[in-house]
């Protein structure tokens, strides 16, 4: 049995799940696209991608890449209201159905989701410099190019400040969440 699956229980004299449940605050950050290291569904303990992620606006001007924040611990995700972004007859089946690791993924989801998590969704898309010299903003590239070519994992974490600085707003959001949880912004 893989280590991550074993860590979703309190078996064998080791209390992984109980220890995780003991934390007062648990937050998951996930990239809705372009994260080639950790898929969105894994990062947010979600059976599917965030419905309507391409159409969502940012939650605030100071956080242009954050497109959803549940604000509190939730056990079901995506939230029922999130499905209002979907077109009728959209496919919402879990991403792992038919996967060779489906049993392990279901075990982890079934164990971790019920303890409740605040879930934050980010979107980093590739952009090209604007043609207008007076407008320094970047415009989204058309078609498939708009969803490729950026490593959102590095941007979310600002791994390389010179290259991944677009993610500084997500780091600021994380700092704000920590301040709230510590009671500094009450």
């Amino acid at each position: 049995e893989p280590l991550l699956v074993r860590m979703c229980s309190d078996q064998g004299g080791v209390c992984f799940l109980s220890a995780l449940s003991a934390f007062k605050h648990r937050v998951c950050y996930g990239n809705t696209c372009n994260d080639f290291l950790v898929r969105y569904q894994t990062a947010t303990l979600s059976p599917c991608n965030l419905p309507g992620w391409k159409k969502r606006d940012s939650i605030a001007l100071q956080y242009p890449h954050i497109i959803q924040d549940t604000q509190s611990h939730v056990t079901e995700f995506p939230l029922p209201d999130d499905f209002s972004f979907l077109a009728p007859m959209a496919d919402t089946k879990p991403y792992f159905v038919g996967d060779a690791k489906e049993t392990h993924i279901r075990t982890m989801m079934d164990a971790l989701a019920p303890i409740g998590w605040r879930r934050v969704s980010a979107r980093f898309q590739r952009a090209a410099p604007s043609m207008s010299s007076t407008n320094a903003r970047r415009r989204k590239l058309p078609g498939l190019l708009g969803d490729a070519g950026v490593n959102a994992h590095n941007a979310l974490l600002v791994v390389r400040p010179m290259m991944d600085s677009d993610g500084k707003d997500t780091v600021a959001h994380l700092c704000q969440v920590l301040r709230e949880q510590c009671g500094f912004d009450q």
Side-chain angles (χ1 to χ4, degrees), residues 6-182:
R6 285 188 277 156
M7 291 176 71
C8 292
S9 68
D10 288 338
Q11 297 175 0
V14 183
C15 302
F16 286 115
L17 193 58
S18 296
L20 189 56
S21 299
F23 283 94
K24 184 176 179 181
H25 303 286
R26 291 172 299 281
V27 184
C28 297
Y29 277 78
N31 287 305
T32 55
C33 62
N34 299 324
D35 193 326
F36 308 113
L37 296 175
V38 180
R39 68 186 301 155
Y40 175 80
Q41 298 91 335
T42 303
T44 59
L45 303 172
S46 173
C48 61
N49 208 344
L50 182 65
W53 65 267
K54 289 183 179 185
K55 299 176 186 174
R56 291 175 182 259
D57 293 324
S58 64
I59 62 167
L61 287 175
Q62 69 265 36
Y63 308 125
H65 294 101
I66 304 292
I67 59 171
Q68 187 196 43
D69 181 350
T70 62
Q71 299 287 320
S72 62
H73 289 173
V74 294
T75 56
E76 290 185 40
F77 190 76
L79 302 172
D81 289 348
D82 290 330
F83 291 97
S84 65
F85 283 89
L86 288 177
M89 305 299 290
D91 183 14
T92 59
K93 77 176 186 178
Y95 76 94
F96 49 81
V97 171
D99 189 292
K101 298 177 185 171
E102 180 177 351
T103 303
H104 296 315
I105 295 168
R106 281 191 189 278
T107 299
M108 291 186 286
M109 293 260 186
D110 291 347
L112 294 173
I115 64 174
W117 298 81
R118 179 175 178 171
R119 288 161 165 118
V120 179
S121 303
R123 178 182 57 224
F124 288 92
Q125 290 176 297
R126 184 176 179 190
S130 175
M131 295 301 175
S132 168
S133 60
T134 59
N135 183 359
R137 293 177 17 160
R138 296 171 73 80
R139 61 180 169 76
K140 184 179 178 297
L141 290 173
L144 294 174
L145 294 175
D147 297 330
V150 92
N151 186 344
H153 188 81
N154 289 347
L156 182 71
L157 305 169
V158 189
V159 171
R160 303 163 299 185
M162 296 299 287
M163 296 178 70
D164 304 318
S165 64
D166 281 355
K168 62 186 174 192
D169 66 299
T170 59
V171 172
H173 185 269
L174 176 60
C175 292
Q176 178 62 31
V177 167
L178 292 172
R179 283 192 296 271
E180 289 170 10
Q181 292 174 351
C182 293

